[in-house]
Amino acid sequence: MKKVACIDTLYTELPFYERFAAAKKDGFDLVEFWSYTDRDLDAIKKACEEAGIGVSGFNGDADFSLVDPTHKEPYLAYLRQSLEAAKKLGALSVTIHSNALGDGGVVVNHYDELSDTVKICSMFDMLKECAKLAEEYQINCNLEGLNILTDHVGNFLKNTQMAAEMIRLIGSPYLHVLYDVYHMQLNEGKLCDTIRMYGDTFAHIHIADAPGRHEPGTGEINYPRVINELRAIGYEGTVGFELFPETDTATAVKAIMSIF
């Protein structure tokens, strides 16, 4: 497992382009961040090269939703743009979601007027096209479910089973689940059972403790047990620490490294 620092939540006391070197110095293998369109890709690439660290991924969708059938064309066009950016940076993946997210991760449209049937069919149809693009670029598209209780009220994809079953049905080597332990602890619990049942579909893990979304040891999740379960199923993907330090980054990093 490769350790990934989310530099939109960690190292925020530093200017953005200095966070790459700081993450490398602390022992992270890769970095990830949320958005790329508001940043200089050439500067990111230079920061990575100078620090000797790579990019795990970033969000590949923006104002468009998988569950909205009218968004198919613009969603896929934006995803292609994101995959081009990932290719430029040598990134391993882009993250995709069921619903468009606004500032602070707020779900832009809950689509209450659409039935679950329409949402599921639209998402499955678009995911098949996402898989084709991912295969063309040979870059993973990782589908992430989000918690609907605290951070992302109204998001459609809220459980691991739906995401994993869609990925299995499509069967692409470049379409996977991003399993966010924090989000799924809030939505469904049974973390180790879920890892055993659906871990074959995972390509990236997000870690933060719950409640609070801080570093391991600040909440109720037994993270050493979770890591051991991932090892038990032979998981060899990336593990991203998308968490907000309770006090400061240095303290959070000590807690992160202690669970491995």
Side-chain angles (χ1 to χ4, degrees), residues 143 157-169 175-180 184 188-205 229-230 233-235:
L143 177 64
L157 183 61
K158 59 183 181 289
N159 64 69
T160 309
Q161 181 179 3
M162 180 182 288
E165 288 180 346
M166 285 193 177
I167 267 61
R168 285 173 177 168
L169 285 169
L175 185 66
H176 302 278
V177 171
L178 192 168
Y179 181 64
D180 189 306
M184 293 304 110
E188 62 188 18
K190 55 184 176 59
L191 302 174
C192 291
D193 285 344
T194 299
I195 290 169
R196 282 191 293 272
M197 288 188 291
Y198 304 115
D200 61 293
T201 67
F202 300 172
H204 190 55
I205 309 292
E229 197 62 50
L230 289 168
I233 67 165
Y235 180 77

Side-chain angles (χ1 to χ4, degrees), residues 133-195:
L133 283 175
E135 290 167 9
E136 178 184 336
Y137 284 88
Q138 297 187 336
I139 294 170
N140 285 339
C141 283
N142 295 332
L143 177 64
E144 181 180 27
L146 304 172
N147 86 74
I148 59 170
L149 303 174
T150 303
D151 303 291
H152 307 286
V153 175
N155 196 68
F156 180 66
L157 183 61
K158 59 183 181 289
N159 64 69
T160 309
Q161 181 179 3
M162 180 182 288
E165 288 180 346
M166 285 193 177
I167 267 61
R168 285 173 177 168
L169 285 169
I170 294 168
S172 169
Y174 288 97
L175 185 66
H176 302 278
V177 171
L178 192 168
Y179 181 64
D180 189 306
V181 181
Y182 162 76
H183 287 313
M184 293 304 110
Q185 171 68 0
L186 294 180
N187 280 357
E188 62 188 18
K190 55 184 176 59
L191 302 174
C192 291
D193 285 344
T194 299
I195 290 169

Side-chain angles (χ1 to χ4, degrees), residues 12 19 50 92 97 101 107 121 125 139-140 151 178 180 183 187 190 200 221 229 250 254 258 260:
T12 56
R19 299 174 195 175
E50 290 179 349
L92 304 179
H97 307 88
L101 304 175
V107 175
C121 290
D125 177 56
I139 294 170
N140 285 339
D151 303 291
L178 192 168
D180 189 306
H183 287 313
N187 280 357
K190 55 184 176 59
D200 61 293
I221 301 175
E229 197 62 50
K254 289 179 182 177
S258 72
F260 284 93

Side-chain angles (χ1 to χ4, degrees), residues 8-221:
D8 273 323
T9 61
L10 295 169
Y11 304 103
T12 56
E13 64 274 17
L14 298 174
F16 181 75
Y17 298 105
E18 293 180 18
R19 299 174 195 175
F20 298 83
K24 177 67 174 181
K25 183 179 179 181
D26 281 342
F28 289 100
D29 302 294
L30 300 154
V31 298
E32 64 180 322
F33 43 88
W34 291 332
S35 63
Y36 70 92
T37 54
D38 56 342
R39 287 161 174 156
D40 185 330
L41 293 183
D42 290 322
I44 291 175
K45 189 173 183 178
K46 181 181 178 183
C48 286
E49 290 171 350
E50 290 179 349
I53 198 166
V55 175
S56 172
F58 47 80
N59 288 339
D61 46 17
D63 299 329
F64 309 109
S65 301
L66 288 170
V67 296
D68 185 342
T70 70
H71 280 193
K72 184 174 182 178
E73 185 174 338
Y75 188 100
L76 294 172
Y78 190 89
L79 179 60
R80 181 178 287 279
Q81 174 186 311
S82 299
L83 289 166
E84 286 285 352
K87 182 179 179 181
K88 179 181 178 72
L89 296 178
L92 304 179
S93 68
V94 297
T95 304
I96 56 177
H97 307 88
S98 63
N99 295 62
L101 304 175
D103 292 341
V106 173
V107 175
V108 174
N109 191 333
H110 296 189
Y111 291 106
D112 293 330
E113 74 280 9
L114 298 181
S115 69
D116 284 359
T117 301
V118 170
K119 293 173 184 176
I120 289 169
C121 290
S122 175
M123 186 160 66
F124 186 73
D125 177 56
M126 276 201 251
L127 283 173
K128 289 190 292 183
E129 298 305 314
C130 291
K132 292 177 184 177
L133 283 175
E135 290 167 9
E136 178 184 336
Y137 284 88
Q138 297 187 336
I139 294 170
N140 285 339
C141 283
N142 295 332
L143 177 64
E144 181 180 27
L146 304 172
N147 86 74
I148 59 170
L149 303 174
T150 303
D151 303 291
H152 307 286
V153 175
N155 196 68
F156 180 66
L157 183 61
K158 59 183 181 289
N159 64 69
T160 309
Q161 181 179 3
M162 180 182 288
E165 288 180 346
M166 285 193 177
I167 267 61
R168 285 173 177 168
L169 285 169
I170 294 168
S172 169
Y174 288 97
L175 185 66
H176 302 278
V177 171
L178 192 168
Y179 181 64
D180 189 306
V181 181
Y182 162 76
H183 287 313
M184 293 304 110
Q185 171 68 0
L186 294 180
N187 280 357
E188 62 188 18
K190 55 184 176 59
L191 302 174
C192 291
D193 285 344
T194 299
I195 290 169
R196 282 191 293 272
M197 288 188 291
Y198 304 115
D200 61 293
T201 67
F202 300 172
H204 190 55
I205 309 292
H206 271 166
I207 281 180
D209 217 333
R213 207 172 185 177
H214 302 308
E215 60 267 28
T218 58
E220 64 191 11
I221 301 175

